[in-house]
């Protein structure tokens, strides 16, 4: 046997040594011996391309290298290797350096393993080397192919591929042949047939729906050994049968329980007590009795064992239960109706968003004066503008009355009042009063009253104050000493936010909302008023909104400007001097009011708890941020809501437990 040993000694002569050794082997080995040659390769930090050339010369394979193939390789061997073993070692070198060889006809492509799935390779492990990339299609017969993907995924390298085709129940694996063989052995061990079957158990006396409800509660309880439940129950109301699935032992146990429950009732014992979880017993009993009575009347036949005339339903309010007396067939029909009506109804969280921005500005400027001569024929000049407030005329009238019961606030008026004048017994007397006022009132209100109600149930929310309004005043003189007894009559009215809503959940996620929204508030006017002034906005509408979306209901965009100018003809139009003969007043009110609505469906307890926790934690965070010491009370603390964890640790009280039903 001819042996060729390749031992490069230095980096400078390594390529020449390898090439010469291989050439000597190719030309000398066939002449010396007809036996298969052996190779003893030894490389130290050699370029992987040199090894590819050596493998090609020894095995006669044609290689195409990806430009990204760059690596330094060390390969040491102390024993001779055949060309096939040398090629296997070469494939292992590629795997260590994250490269892969893909055979296509007579060509071997060497590419990074991350791109291996993009190239065509072998379609089976038959005849493939353990390091070759192959794509294998595996038929799964007893287990769902999609169920195996998460189990097998950790066993596939990153460059490999694993997918399931549910339609044909097949697995597609692309990886090295050695790993594909291992995956196939694992799948064969998992893909084992079992003895599970489906049994149909017809019932003669009991209701299939009721029996399944009882047995499902029993079988869904967690097992003591921690193993999953392997049995299932389904009721077929049409044939009054129960379908049982699972292993033999589980099916046998359930068949025994079904046989025990499917027993005839005693004579005169066609009565059942059904405890309701969500429905109202009195209302449901009335509807059921009316339904079966009308059904019996519509049939027009004589009462039989299956007619509605033999059905009696009455409610027990203390336990929220209905007591039913009916033949077995009618009993099953009635209980089927109860099962569909006694369900948890969805709830709706409605938040009204009320935004109001209002600006009220007012300016007022006026002058009144009077001149009186000393003689009887002396001219008299007077200006009087009541809209600008008390003037000279009102002041003179109060003085002329002797000054009794004079209200200084009523005479001075609002804003600033400046007076000048001279009153003499002989000569000319004059008096002048200047009134000036500027007011600016801003209102910025954002209200978000939330309310939760059950589907198709009206709910109302009132948040406000009772504000007193004076409706009248009276005074009477007493009989003793002429004492005066004044009094006023007051009427209180509610001011705030009132929301009345009735939601209806439609098919899908849309809601039909009947809304009555009333917003009232006390106006903050730029000028003072004797009585309180209230703003009132009412919206009554019916809208459709998607779950969780915001919809605008309506609003008010108003910009009002009022200008008043009173003056003496001709004289009031004279520049500068005309201001002594006129009074002006300007009011500008700008109102921006919009009302939005946001509705969210709470279909189960999880969504209800989520929304409740969000609002609860928001209020608690506000209290925590404002948690300071109590003034003048050292050691005292402000009250804060307890964290929700304290409530969750408290054992819940079971309120929906269904007592044993006496039949």
């Amino acid at each position: 046997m001819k042996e060729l040993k390749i031992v490069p000694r230095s980096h400078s002569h390594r390529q020449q040594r390898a090439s010469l050794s291989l050439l000597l082997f190719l030309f000398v080995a066939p002449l010396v011996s007809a036996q298969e040659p052996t190779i003893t390769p030894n490389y130290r930090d050699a370029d992987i391309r040199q090894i590819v050339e050596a493998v090609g010369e020894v095995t006669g394979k044609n290689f195409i290298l990806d430009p990204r193939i760059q690596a330094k390789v060390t390969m040491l061997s102390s024993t001779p290797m055949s060309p096939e073993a040398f090629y296997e070692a070469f494939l292992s070198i590629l795997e260590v350096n994250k490269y892969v060889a893909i055979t296509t006809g007579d060509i071997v492509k060497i590419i990074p393993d991350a791109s291996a799935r993009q190239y065509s390779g072998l379609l089976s492990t038959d005849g493939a080397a353990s390091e070759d990339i192959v794509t294998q299609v595996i038929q799964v017969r007893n287990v769902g192919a999609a169920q195996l993907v998460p189990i097998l995924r950790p066993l596939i390298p990153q460059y490999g591929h694993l997918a399931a085709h549910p339609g044909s129940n097949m697995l597609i694996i692309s990886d090295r042949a050695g790993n594909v063989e291992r995956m196939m052995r694992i799948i064969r061990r998992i893909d084992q047939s079992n003895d599970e079957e489906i049994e149909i158990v017809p019932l003669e006396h009991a209701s299939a729906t009721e029996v399944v409800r009882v047995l499902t509660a029993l079988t869904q309880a967690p097992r003591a050994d921690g193993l999953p439940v392997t049995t299932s129950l389904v009721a077929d109301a049409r044939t009054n049968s129960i379908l049982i699935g699972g292993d033999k032992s589980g099916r046998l146990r359930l068949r025994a329980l079904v046989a025990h429950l499917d027993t005839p009732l005693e004579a005169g014992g066609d009565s059942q007590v059904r405890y309701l979880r969500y429905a109202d017993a009195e209302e449901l009993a009335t509807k059921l009795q009316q339904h079966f009575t009308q059904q019996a009347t519509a049939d027009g036949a004589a009462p039989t064992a299956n007619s509605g005339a033999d059905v009696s339903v009455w409610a027990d309010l203390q336990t929220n239960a209905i007591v039913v007396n009916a033949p077995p067939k009618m009993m099953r029909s009635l209980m089927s109706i109860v099962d569909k009506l006694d369900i948890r109804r969805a709830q709706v969280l409605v938040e009204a968003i009320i935004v109001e921005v209002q600006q009220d500005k007012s300016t007022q400027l006026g002058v009144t004066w009077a001149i009186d001569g000393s003689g009887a024929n002396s001219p008299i000049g007077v200006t009087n503008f009541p809209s600008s407030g008390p003037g000279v005329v009102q002041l003179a009238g109060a003085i002329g009355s002797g000054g009794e019961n004079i209200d200084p606030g009523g005479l001075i008026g609002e804003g600033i009042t400046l007076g000048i004048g001279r009153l003499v017994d002989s000569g000319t007397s004059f008096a002048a009063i200047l009134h000036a006022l500027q007011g600016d009132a801003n209102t910025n209100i954002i209200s978000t009253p939330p309310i939760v109600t059950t589907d198709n149930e009206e709910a109302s929310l009132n948040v406000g104050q009772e504000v007193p309004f004076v409706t009248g005043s009276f005074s009477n003189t007493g009989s003793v000493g002429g004492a005066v007894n004044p009094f006023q009559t007051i009427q209180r009215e509610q001011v705030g936010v009132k929301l009345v809503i009735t939601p209806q959940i439609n098919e899908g996620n849309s809601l039909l909302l009947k809304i009555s929204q009333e917003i009232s508030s006390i106006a903050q006017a730029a000028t003072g008023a004797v009585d309180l002034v209230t703003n009132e906005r009412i919206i009554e509408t019916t809208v459709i909104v998607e779950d969780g979306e915001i919809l605008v209901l309506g609003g008010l965009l108003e910009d009002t400007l009022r200008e008043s100018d009173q003056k003496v003809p001709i004289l009031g139009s004279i520049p500068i001097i005309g201001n002594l003969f006129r009074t002006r007043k300007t009011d500008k009110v700008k109102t921006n009011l919009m009302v939005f609505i946001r509705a969210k469906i709470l279909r189960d307890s999880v969504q209800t708890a989520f929304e409740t926790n969000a609002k609860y934690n928001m209020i608690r965070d506000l209290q925590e941020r404002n948690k300071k010491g109590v003034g003048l009370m050292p050691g005292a603390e402000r009250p804060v809501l307890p964290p929700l964890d304290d409530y969750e640790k408290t054992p819940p009280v079971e309120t929906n437990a269904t007592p044993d039903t006496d039949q």
Side-chain angles (χ1 to χ4, degrees), residues 564-583:
S564 174
D565 190 356
Q566 294 180 325
K567 62 182 178 180
V568 177
I570 301 175
L571 297 178
S573 301
I574 300 175
I576 301 176
I577 299 176
N579 291 325
L580 299 176
F581 302 93
R582 68 191 300 182
T583 179

Side-chain angles (χ1 to χ4, degrees), residues 24-88:
L24 289 173
F25 166 76
L26 293 174
F27 288 101
V28 177
L31 300 176
V32 175
S33 175
Q35 298 180 358
E36 183 180 12
T38 60
I39 306 152
T40 306
N42 285 278
Y43 294 94
R44 295 182 182 273
D45 295 331
D47 190 352
I48 193 172
R49 295 176 179 270
Q50 299 176 13
I51 301 178
V52 173
E53 293 176 1
V55 173
E57 294 290 345
V58 172
T59 61
K61 295 181 180 294
N62 301 318
F63 293 93
I64 297 178
L65 276 69
D66 189 280
R68 293 170 289 180
I69 304 301
Q70 300 288 338
K72 295 293 184 180
V73 177
T74 298
M75 180 179 179
L76 303 177
S77 175
S78 59
T79 59
M81 304 172 61
S82 64
E84 292 77 7
F86 185 36
Y87 184 70
E88 290 289 339

Side-chain angles (χ1 to χ4, degrees), residues 282-483:
E282 184 177 14
E283 182 179 357
L284 184 59
T286 303
K287 292 181 179 179
L288 291 175
Q289 185 66 61
Q290 182 180 3
H291 168 72
F292 285 99
T293 302
Q294 291 178 351
Q295 184 179 11
T297 304
D299 293 342
T304 62
N306 295 326
S307 66
D310 294 336
V311 177
S312 173
V313 184
W314 59 277
D316 182 65
L317 301 181
Q318 285 73 17
T319 59
N320 194 40
I322 58 174
V323 181
V324 183
N325 186 9
K329 183 176 180 180
M330 298 300 297
M331 183 71 72
R332 290 193 297 269
S333 176
L334 190 144
M335 290 302 171
S336 176
I337 296 175
V338 174
D339 290 336
K340 292 180 174 58
L341 296 179
D342 187 25
I343 59 174
R344 180 189 178 95
R345 297 166 61 188
Q347 301 182 100
V348 179
L349 170 63
V350 180
E351 290 180 311
I353 304 173
I354 306 165
V355 183
E356 180 178 0
V357 179
Q358 182 175 351
Q359 295 179 348
D360 187 352
K361 295 183 179 181
S362 175
T363 57
Q364 180 178 345
L365 178 64
V367 177
T368 59
W369 51 268
I371 300 177
D372 185 12
S374 59
N377 296 326
S378 299
I380 299 175
V382 178
T383 60
N384 184 28
F385 303 106
S387 62
S388 63
V392 175
V393 175
Q394 288 77 14
L395 182 60
I399 296 175
S401 63
E404 297 181 357
N405 300 327
I406 295 178
D407 183 8
L411 292 177
I412 295 176
E414 302 172 356
I416 186 172
T417 302
L418 298 177
I420 186 174
R422 186 183 70 172
L423 301 177
V424 295
D425 294 336
S426 61
T428 302
S429 299
F430 69 92
I433 296 177
L434 170 68
H435 290 285
L437 173 66
Q438 181 175 356
D440 191 351
N442 293 323
T443 302
N444 189 354
I445 301 175
I446 297 180
S447 302
T448 56
I451 188 172
V452 178
T453 181
T454 309
D455 183 24
N456 282 319
E457 293 290 342
E458 181 181 298
S460 62
L461 174 67
N462 294 327
V463 180
Q465 296 177 328
E466 294 285 344
V467 180
F469 291 86
V470 178
T471 58
S473 60
F474 302 89
S475 62
N476 54 6
T477 303
S479 58
V480 180

